[in-house]
Amino acid sequence: MEQEDRIALFLDYENLALGARDHHGGKPFDFRPIADALAERGRVVVRRAYADWSYFDEDRRMLTRSHVELIEIPQRMGASRKNAADIKMAVDAVELAFERGYISTFVICTGDSDFTPLVHKLRELNKRVIGVGVEKSTSALLPPACDEFLYYDRLEGVDIPPVRERRTRPARPPGAEPQPAQQPGARPVTEPEVEPPAVEEEPPRDVDTLAVLVAQTVAGLQGSSSGTVSASTLKRTLLRKDPTFSESDYGFRTFGELLRHLAAHRVVELAEGPAKGDPEVSLPEHGDREVAFGLLRSVVVDLAGGDGTVALSGLKNQLRRARPDFSEKKLGYRSFLQFCRAAATSGVVDLRWSQDNDDYLLTPGG
């Protein structure tokens, strides 16, 4: 039986609750979406929230029902009260890391960059750290420090009310005559209501950009290790590159569904892995790469001058004119030069450096 992660949860409650209320139209903070997200990641054995609870009387009931231990911070004035909560939370987290070796993951719920040193220390102690914060009130310094960062706003079950503009009376155009005074007993004249603008949902992120990221990551993993690349390893690596990464931001329910989509578009290939539900991921050895090599050769043939050579500079634009969707990064190459070197290795073209031209020159291969 696979050992499940033991999780310790620490909430900087004032930062999280006020951030949610300030940026979600006054809607109260809901702990349940965080609890559900962590239940998918392991077993939560410690739940603690830090605040001056005299300011959050209603929230106490909600947290108590979710078995969260409420740590009371003595009432002080202003920033000193907030600093006391931060210090107490940081000390408790480090103490727990030393005393409870079975706890493998720490969840720090805050958007405050002051907790970045705590995150670094926990990772130094070989603990996985997940951050949780409200997107608009989270410091840009905190997410990159974590192994994974969850924006509260994007969690399943968080219902953010749409921002509606205030209904205003339409302005009278310049030069228009004022309306006559209303006669007693006359039927009131109602002004037409101004319809609020439709609230558009945030569009899903660019899947093509994601395809480039996945292809480059698979290529890097294949180059740095002699073993195969599993889907779970790929997901962990993507999170190391961007702790806020989530396949749901691109419209996919699971990471496996995302990989199947990319496999259908020939970005990656999937094969059965040693563990059930964890397939091997690789870059296509043939197919699109050979098509791209053929495209490169045909363009070099068409553009070759009197000496039969074509300069590397500007060649990529010529390929895109012939095939607008061309991208060497989707094929796993980090640069166009690396792609041309691979084509030269395959014998499709010849590539050499010209001191006179201060550029690489390509000729059609034999």
Side-chain angles (χ1 to χ4, degrees):
M1 179 178 176
E2 185 178 351
Q3 183 70 24
E4 61 182 352
D5 283 343
R6 263 65 169 186
I7 299 174
L9 170 65
F10 291 83
L11 294 103
D12 177 13
Y13 197 78
E14 182 171 341
N15 178 280
L16 207 60
L18 295 183
R21 291 173 184 174
D22 289 346
H23 299 290
H24 295 171
K27 192 168 184 179
F29 170 77
D30 185 6
F31 175 72
R32 176 51 52 186
I34 294 179
D36 291 344
L38 297 183
E40 298 168 357
R41 288 163 171 79
R43 179 184 172 201
V44 181
V45 295
V46 174
R47 302 182 182 190
R48 296 179 184 174
Y50 297 75
D52 181 347
W53 295 107
S54 63
Y55 291 90
F56 303 100
D57 191 51
E58 290 297 322
D59 302 56
R60 295 173 63 176
R61 299 183 181 90
M62 177 262 296
L63 292 170
T64 302
R65 286 194 297 268
S66 297
H67 309 287
V68 177
E69 181 184 0
L70 306 183
I71 308 299
E72 181 73 45
I73 302 301
Q75 183 158 353
R76 294 185 174 91
M77 296 298 293
S80 61
R81 174 175 55 83
K82 181 67 172 67
N83 290 339
D86 294 355
I87 294 170
K88 173 65 173 169
M89 180 170 147
V91 169
D92 285 358
V94 173
E95 182 181 40
L96 204 65
F98 278 105
E99 292 184 350
R100 305 287 189 269
Y102 57 83
I103 296 178
S104 57
T105 302
F106 282 74
V107 180
I108 308 299
C109 297
T110 184
D112 192 344
S113 62
D114 289 347
F115 284 96
T116 304
L118 170 63
V119 173
H120 289 316
K121 177 55 67 176
L122 291 172
R123 295 186 69 184
E124 183 182 325
L125 295 171
N126 197 29
K127 305 298 183 181
R128 184 167 184 259
V129 181
I130 300 175
V132 182
V134 178
E135 188 165 8
K136 291 184 178 179
S137 62
T138 295
S139 167
L141 299 175
L142 189 60
C146 301
D147 293 294
E148 182 179 3
F149 197 91
L150 306 175
Y151 285 118
Y152 170 78
D153 324 56
R154 303 181 189 176
L155 294 179
E156 185 69 28
V158 176
D159 185 19
I160 302 176
V163 179
R164 302 177 70 92
E165 293 186 2
R166 293 181 60 187
R167 183 174 296 170
T168 58
R169 179 177 296 181
R172 189 169 63 230
E177 292 294 328
Q179 295 294 325
Q182 185 72 34
Q183 296 294 328
R187 188 174 182 178
V189 178
T190 58
E191 295 183 355
E193 293 183 346
V194 179
E195 288 294 329
V199 178
E200 297 182 0
E201 293 186 358
E202 182 182 357
R205 298 189 180 185
D206 185 8
V207 179
D208 285 341
T209 303
L210 175 62
V212 169
L213 175 63
V214 170
Q216 288 183 331
T217 303
V218 173
L221 288 171
Q222 288 180 329
S224 62
S225 64
S226 56
T228 57
V229 179
S230 66
S232 58
T233 300
L234 175 60
K235 176 68 178 287
R236 287 194 297 269
T237 307
L238 290 172
L239 283 170
R240 283 196 290 268
K241 287 185 173 184
D242 178 9
T244 68
F245 169 81
S246 173
E247 59 274 2
S248 62
D249 291 338
Y250 299 88
F252 299 99
R253 295 170 296 179
T254 64
F255 190 64
E257 183 179 327
L258 163 62
L259 290 180
R260 290 190 292 273
H261 171 83
L262 296 179
H265 288 78
R266 300 290 298 161
V267 177
V268 297
E269 287 183 347
L270 301 179
E272 186 176 351
K276 186 178 180 181
D278 192 12
E280 292 181 4
V281 186
S282 61
L283 295 175
E285 290 296 330
H286 302 287
D288 281 359
R289 190 184 71 162
E290 272 57 39
V291 171
F293 284 172
L295 173 67
L296 174 64
R297 187 181 191 283
S298 65
V299 171
V300 169
V301 169
D302 292 340
L303 297 178
D307 58 353
T309 64
V310 178
L312 181 68
S313 301
L315 182 57
K316 182 175 178 179
N317 291 333
Q318 297 299 327
L319 264 68
R320 283 184 168 170
R321 287 183 181 178
R323 183 177 168 183
D325 63 341
F326 170 79
S327 171
E328 76 281 356
K329 292 181 173 60
K330 284 186 181 180
L331 302 172
Y333 299 104
R334 297 185 179 277
S335 66
F336 185 63
L337 174 59
Q338 185 186 21
F339 167 73
C340 291
R341 282 174 172 160
T345 302
S346 301
V348 176
V349 295
D350 293 323
L351 179 69
R352 64 180 177 85
W353 173 257
S354 171
Q355 194 72 33
D356 295 335
N357 297 89
D358 194 28
D359 199 355
Y360 284 96
L361 298 180
L362 292 88
T363 55

